Structures are given as structure tokens and as C-alpha cells.
Amino acid sequence: MRRILLIMPYGSVGGMERLALTFYNHYKEKGYHVKAMKIIKLDNDIINFGDDELFFKPHDFNKMKKSERILFYLKAPLLLRKIIKKEKITHSIAFGDMANIFSSLTFTKELKVGSLHALKSVELKNKTLLNKLLRICFKTSFNKLNKLICISKAIKEDLITNCEYRLDNLKVIYNPHDLHEIRHKSLEPITDPVEKKLFSGNVILFLGRLSHQKSPWHLIKSFYLLEKKNKDVKLVFVGDGVKEVIDYCHHLLSKYDLTDKVIFLGRKSNPYTYLAQSNLLALSSLYEGTPNVIVESICLGIPIVSSNCTEGIIELMSNKKIVVKEENVAVESGIITPNFYKGDLSIPSNDEIISEEKHFSNALLEILNTDKFKNEIKNNKDKLLDKFDVSKVAEEYLQPLS
């Protein structure tokens, strides 16, 4: 019997965690022995694995002193090794940088699969301890991974061209999605009366973590421009986030007098019910891999406005080879706008409206003003979703590198 260990950073409702849960549910249905390892387990975790859940630490890194964090980095591969031995694991799948690093250092003999979910050349600009370790592992311990999955062609090309990755264990596999489960969960009603009233009107939805990577300030400023032309719409954020980013968002809301128009609902155990009730999904990221939320939105027939934060966006939103540079481009599932990234991941030093935000705002308005995009996504849904079938992808993860 296959004995599988899934290794992930947290139990939040982020893309990697939802991906791990999709694998877990599929492998359990197949009758495999499955354990799920959270590097950090928090009391407010939304994604949980019941009796199959394991964890390293019950508190986040921001609660640790630097010396404690370094010690944890040193001990984690040994702790992981003990679990792999105890559970007699035949296949391990790591999600994200930290899990990849720890897995590569256990020196165990199961089939090891790592995975990368964003453009590394952008993330590595931040000189964090984890990124320093990652650079070293790219040239050393990652040769212990039987496969390192890149969830888009763009991520693989970036890794080779811009990060000097020279190991021959890379494989492009798109993220799997349990499309039936997404549709099923989307049918659950919104029960809170305030939220129910909110979603009875026109809603632009942001779904994800409010982080520097997601740069929600671009979305807020784009919404400010939109609101001058369309008063009958609200912007809703579903997800938790980084305090510094959230504080800056509230600063913008106060400056632009949008506090009644922009609503933060926090983390939700079932985000699909909110997505299904929205007019469109907005993604204003500086960089991405292949964000799960885009596939989820296509699955539910909700049009998307996304910045061209990676070529992986094009791979998700269109089956055509297109180029996005200085203008908006309409595709089968919505509109892709010019990239916001200018080489800096920090919060802006001023609140000046930039041209990319004007483009993004125009795209939001265009989708709100017509049913064309809903019809387009409906007609192209099956072709767009074919490469994300969970049964195909989950099995491909477990196979040796061909």
C-alpha cells in the first residue's frame, strides 16, 4: 500500500493548504495511508486533517526569537525523518519552500516530491534566512528530491534562467482541483444576514491572503477609480493577512472615503460560497505561480480580472498563446492587465495612482457592464479546466520522474 506524507507550512486557507487538502481527500478515497504534516499549527486553522494531522510547532514564527527559529530550522529535518520512519512512508509531497528544504534534508528513501508555487527570482530578492537556505539547497540537497514540481511552465523557465537551477529533476504539473467539490461547496448559502445582504448587490471579490505579494493596495486604488463611474458596487476581501499590509489598506480607505464600500470579512472555511455569489474575481498580485483561485473562479463561471503577474496567469486564463504588455487583453475567462511589479515588494512610499491601476480599473468596469465575459467563460470552461483534473494530477505526482 502507498503510504503518503503531505508536508505544508500552515493550516490556513491559502492556496498551498487547499491544494494539500485536495490531495489528502483524493488519496484517502483511493484507500491509501495518508498523514498530513503542518510545520506550524495554529488554534484558528481552517484546514484540518483530523486524526491524520501532525505538526511541529503550535505557534507562529513571529512568536519565536531568532535563535529559536534557527534552532527549529536545524531540528526540523530530524523530526521529519522520525515521522517518515515511524509511519513507513513510501511517498512524501512537500508544498512550498520550507517544506521542500526540510524534506530534502531527511536523507530518507521514500519517493520525494517537492513543489514550487511562485516565481522564485522575485521572492529571492528578499534576503531572508529562508531564502538564503533555499539558494544553497538549489545547488545541494534538492538533488535528493526525486521530482521538483513547477506548477507552470513560467515557473520552470524562471528557475532555470533567473535562479541558476541546474538539477535535472524539474517537472511541470498543474495544480489539481476537485471541481465537483468546489461546485458542491459553492451551493452552500450565505447564512449571516449582513453578508447575505452584501452579496445581494454587485460585488468584486478578492480571495486570498492580504500580503505584500498580493499587493491589495493596487486593487483598492483601482476600485477608487471605478467607484467614480459606478457607485453600485462593493469590494470584498476574504482572507487574513499581514498587519502592515492591512494597516496600509485601511489608510487608503480613509484617504479615499471608501470605508463603507470596501469590506474585510476575514478568513472563511468555505470561500466558494462567496465566490459563487460575486460578479467577478480580482487578483492584483505582484507575482504568482498559478493561483488556485483562478481555476476555482473558472469552475464556478465567475469572470476574472488579473494582473499579468506571471506567464502562468496566461496558462490558466487562456488556451491561446498571447502577449500582455502595455494594454489590457481579453481572454476566454476575463481580462489580463499589465503587470504591477516594478522590482520592489514593499508597501509604496506614496499613494500616487499609477497607469497600471487605471488599466485594472477599466477592466473591472468592462466586466461589470456586460454579460459577454460570463458567456465566454461558460462556453470555454471545459477546455480551460481539462488539465486540472485531480485524478490525473494526483497520480502523476506519485510516479517516478520520466
Side-chain angles (χ1 to χ4, degrees):
M1 177 192 288
R2 287 168 166 169
R3 302 177 67 87
I4 301 168
L5 179 65
L6 308 174
I7 312 162
M8 71 207 77
Y10 291 97
S12 65
V13 74
M16 282 190 291
E17 291 80 12
R18 297 207 305 276
L19 177 61
L21 183 61
T22 297
F23 275 108
Y24 172 81
N25 289 333
H26 179 78
Y27 291 143
K28 289 291 285 187
E29 287 177 6
K30 297 285 286 187
Y32 302 153
H33 174 92
V34 189
K35 293 292 180 179
M37 163 60 67
K38 295 176 182 176
I39 294 172
I40 301 294
K41 175 181 172 66
L42 302 176
D43 291 338
N44 63 348
D45 279 355
I46 287 178
I47 291 179
N48 297 288
F49 302 87
D51 293 339
D52 292 321
E53 182 171 299
L54 307 167
F55 66 94
F56 285 154
K57 284 282 187 180
H59 54 270
D60 211 341
F61 288 109
N62 58 16
K63 305 291 184 183
M64 301 182 197
K65 297 179 181 178
K66 185 176 181 180
S67 58
E68 184 184 0
R69 183 182 290 199
I70 292 173
L71 181 61
F72 173 69
Y73 284 169
L74 293 173
K75 291 174 60 177
L78 298 176
L79 297 173
L80 187 57
R81 177 184 173 88
K82 289 181 180 179
I83 291 168
I84 291 170
K85 293 285 189 180
K86 179 182 177 182
E87 298 292 336
K88 299 179 181 178
I89 297 300
T90 61
H91 298 74
S92 64
I93 302 174
F95 300 91
D97 298 337
M98 192 178 302
N100 291 332
I101 291 171
F102 294 161
S103 177
S104 74
L105 293 170
T106 62
F107 298 101
T108 46
K109 295 183 179 179
E110 81 282 7
L111 191 145
K112 289 181 179 293
V113 180
S115 60
L116 295 175
H117 298 260
L119 293 178
K120 290 297 109 180
S121 64
V122 177
E123 289 191 338
L124 289 172
K125 291 181 185 296
N126 285 343
K127 307 299 181 183
T128 63
L129 175 60
L130 181 65
N131 281 341
K132 290 177 182 177
L133 288 173
L134 188 62
R135 284 188 178 277
I136 295 171
C137 290
F138 277 176
K139 299 178 181 179
T140 55
S141 66
F142 271 30
N143 66 359
K144 300 297 183 182
L145 300 174
N146 297 88
K147 285 194 296 193
L148 182 58
I149 305 301
C150 301
I151 63 170
S152 73
K153 296 174 184 176
I155 289 177
K156 178 180 178 180
E157 291 168 4
D158 174 72
L159 202 61
I160 294 170
T161 304
N162 301 318
C163 302
E164 299 179 349
Y165 193 91
R166 297 294 178 261
L167 302 176
D168 59 357
N169 58 354
L170 298 180
K171 176 78 172 179
V172 175
I173 304 178
Y174 293 100
N175 280 343
H177 294 265
D178 189 336
L179 304 177
H180 174 77
E181 181 70 6
I182 292 169
R183 294 186 184 107
H184 175 71
K185 285 188 173 183
S186 75
L187 298 177
E188 291 183 11
I190 298 175
T191 56
D192 182 280
V194 175
E195 294 178 354
K196 189 174 182 179
K197 182 179 179 181
L198 171 63
F199 279 84
S200 66
N202 293 321
V203 170
I204 296 169
L205 184 72
F206 171 97
L207 177 57
R209 184 166 171 77
L210 283 87
S211 63
H212 294 79
Q213 172 192 350
K214 303 291 186 181
S215 61
W217 53 84
H218 289 307
L219 176 53
I220 289 174
K221 289 196 283 181
S222 299
F223 180 77
Y224 164 68
L225 297 175
L226 167 69
E227 206 264 343
K228 292 180 178 181
K229 303 173 184 177
N230 186 337
K231 301 290 184 183
D232 186 32
V233 63
K234 292 191 176 180
L235 172 61
V236 177
F237 288 90
V238 171
D240 58 7
V242 178
K243 184 179 184 301
E244 180 187 19
V245 174
I246 294 173
D247 287 347
Y248 181 60
C249 288
H250 282 291
H251 156 75
L252 291 175
L253 299 189
S254 178
K255 175 174 180 174
Y256 296 133
D257 192 24
L258 292 173
T259 51
D260 293 334
K261 291 283 192 163
V262 179
I263 295 90
F264 297 86
L265 295 184
R267 296 165 67 174
K268 296 293 182 180
S269 58
N270 179 10
Y272 306 120
T273 187
Y274 299 93
L275 181 56
Q277 297 299 318
S278 301
N279 295 78
L280 66 92
L281 175 81
L283 192 69
S284 58
S285 300
L286 298 176
Y287 67 94
E288 287 282 358
T290 53
N292 295 328
V293 69
I294 286 183
V295 179
E296 293 159 356
S297 194
I298 293 171
C299 175
L300 299 179
I302 305 301
I304 302 144
V305 173
S306 175
S307 61
N308 188 34
C309 43
T310 168
E311 294 302 310
I313 294 293
I314 297 171
E315 293 176 49
L316 294 183
M317 290 183 63
S318 177
N319 284 322
K320 303 171 185 175
K321 291 185 178 181
I322 62 173
V323 177
V324 181
K325 291 187 177 180
E326 304 300 326
E327 300 294 335
N328 293 349
V329 176
V331 294
E332 297 96 308
S333 56
I335 299 175
I336 304 175
T337 73
N339 195 351
F340 288 116
Y341 181 61
K342 306 296 181 185
D344 186 4
L345 298 177
S346 60
I347 287 175
S349 57
N350 63 69
D351 303 334
E352 178 184 353
I353 301 290
I354 61 175
S355 63
E356 289 81 6
E357 290 161 351
K358 295 176 183 177
H359 283 296
F360 201 92
S361 181
N362 290 337
L364 297 175
L365 183 63
E366 185 175 354
I367 287 184
L368 286 171
N369 283 348
T370 177
D371 290 331
K372 178 182 73 173
F373 291 93
K374 278 206 168 186
N375 295 332
E376 188 77 5
I377 201 171
K378 180 181 179 181
N379 294 335
N380 290 279
K381 184 189 300 185
D382 291 342
K383 290 181 180 179
L384 289 168
L385 294 175
D386 181 65
K387 55 182 173 284
F388 307 110
D389 181 79
V390 63
S391 59
K392 298 176 184 176
V393 174
E395 180 61 29
E396 192 172 359
Y397 260 68
L398 301 181
Q399 298 302 318
L401 185 67
S402 56

